[in-house]
Amino acid sequence: METIKLDDEDFGEFNDLMEEYENLIEEFKEKNQDIAIQIDETLNEKKASQD
């Protein structure tokens, strides 16, 4: 396996990309949480209207 050495500029760019990736994951988790809440609310409303 070949080893790739990063200079400071490459390493800084890599860190920036990793930070952006982590932010996107957090945003994705928050949106999924919001969607899950909306689904729960919709199901509860449907269940209440059937009773």
Side-chain angles (χ1 to χ4, degrees), residues 11-23:
F11 192 70
E13 187 175 335
F14 174 77
N15 280 337
D16 291 346
L17 289 172
M18 287 304 296
E19 186 176 334
E20 185 176 341
Y21 173 72
E22 290 171 358
N23 291 339

Side-chain angles (χ1 to χ4, degrees), residues 1 13 17-18 23 28 31 33 41 43-45:
M1 181 179 235
E13 187 175 335
L17 289 172
M18 287 304 296
N23 291 339
F28 178 77
K31 286 183 179 180
Q33 184 74 24
E41 289 173 351
L43 290 174
N44 288 337
E45 288 171 6

